[in-house]
Amino acid sequence: MISVADLSRLSVGYELPALEVGPITRTTLELFASASGDDNPVHIDADAARAAGLDDVFAHGMLSMAYLGRLLIKWVPQERIHSFGVRFVAITPVDASPRCEGTVVGVDDGLAEVALRIVLADGTVTLTGSAVIDIS
Amino acid sequence: MPIDLELALAQPIAPLEVAIERGRLQAFARAIGETDPVYFDVDAARAAGYPDIPAAPTYLFSIEMEAVPPLGWLTDLGVDLSMVLHGEQRFRYRQMLHAGEHVTVRRRVADAFIKGPGAFLVKKTEFLRGDVIVADAEGVVIVKEKHA
């Protein structure tokens, strides 16, 4: 976790320590479906995924967002997060190993804006987003 | 047209009353691969200054999913869930939530429009502890056109 002193000295361009996750197995998807309350069959039942036009089950967008959440709370205590938002850009297939990254893109008045992204091994960007962090 | 936009905007979504439970927070933390003890162990949480195990940042979405059925607000509009994509999600946090607390969840479809081959629904949610808004959320759901 970043020290309070380093946080107050944050500047644009700072890269958060990246978080590498996965592989996201079928078991992960089942555990997340159960624990998150999102029981949409396309994430846990290959027949349902195929009926929806996909080759196989794929990860919940909110699982990826949770991984970006982990990136943030590994970096700062959770109470420093003012806001956190993402756009779901591409599907995360089962067995993917996403890499979560963040870059400080703005610092103003005790708040830092962090640009967030998740990238798969083949370079596909699956999520983009941003968070505003209290750095005072 | 994959959805009746006017109905989506007009139809109210029932509020929820949710009790935040330690076991559920622990299961969620495990499912997302979290390792920080504060998200699993009450003593660790209290040593870190929290009254009990805190709800992780995206757990707010799972609080909404305690509706029965979880995506009832969509199926009540006649939407086929296999045609739905989650487009965007954002949260604004005012206060943390912890195990043992009770939350009221108020939801509404704030905007609904057609863009390209899909219908976009923007759902806004407020989370209250007592009468204090502790967080709010906005989610964009895309309902794809079904091809015959």
Side-chain angles (χ1 to χ4, degrees), chain A residues 57-111:
Chain A
V57 297
F58 60 98
H60 312 66
M62 289 308 294
L63 175 57
S64 287
M65 192 176 186
Y67 291 145
L68 282 174
R70 280 180 52 196
L71 176 78
L72 292 173
I73 63 184
K74 206 173 156 83
W75 185 54
V76 296
Q78 188 178 332
E79 54 271 23
R80 287 185 175 273
I81 307 174
H82 270 226
S83 65
F84 170 29
V86 302
R87 174 166 292 176
F88 301 108
V89 173
I91 294 238
T92 299
V94 64
D95 297 323
S97 293
R99 179 184 164 88
C100 303
E101 303 173 345
T103 312
V104 173
V105 295
V107 176
D108 186 33
D109 201 24
L111 295 174

Side-chain angles (χ1 to χ4, degrees), chain A residues 6 8 13 22 36-37 41 52-53 56 61 66 76-77 79 86 91 93 102 113 116 121 127:
Chain A
D6 285 345
S8 65
S36 71
D56 201 344
V76 296
E79 54 271 23
V86 302
I91 294 238
E113 187 185 346
L116 300 166
L127 267 72

Side-chain angles (χ1 to χ4, degrees), chain B residues 69-80:
Chain B
L71 294 170
W73 74 276
L74 277 173
T75 53
D76 285 350
L77 296 172
V79 170
D80 174 352

Side-chain angles (χ1 to χ4, degrees), chain A residues 42 45-54, chain B residues 82-83:
Chain A
V42 295
D45 180 341
D47 295 334
R50 280 189 287 268
L54 293 123
Chain B
S82 68
M83 295 281 105

Side-chain angles (χ1 to χ4, degrees), chain A residues 1 28 31-32 34-40 42 52 62-63 65-67 69-70 73 77-79 81-88 91, chain B residues 24 27-28 30-34 36 39 50 55-59 61-62 65 70-71 81-82 86-93 96 144:
Chain A
M1 201 162 283
T28 305
L31 285 178
F32 185 76
S34 162
S36 71
D38 184 349
D39 56 1
N40 192 332
V42 295
M62 289 308 294
L63 175 57
M65 192 176 186
Y67 291 145
R70 280 180 52 196
I73 63 184
Q78 188 178 332
E79 54 271 23
I81 307 174
H82 270 226
S83 65
F84 170 29
V86 302
R87 174 166 292 176
F88 301 108
I91 294 238
Chain B
R24 293 192 75 122
F28 185 82
R30 176 171 168 243
I32 68 171
E34 182 52 70
D36 188 333
Y39 295 96
Y50 303 113
T58 60
Y59 190 76
F61 189 79
S62 293
M65 296 299 271
L71 294 170
L81 292 181
S82 68
H86 199 167
E88 295 178 28
Q89 184 67 39
R90 69 178 133 274
F91 302 105
R92 289 188 302 191
Y93 307 101
M96 302 265 290
K144 295 182 291 181

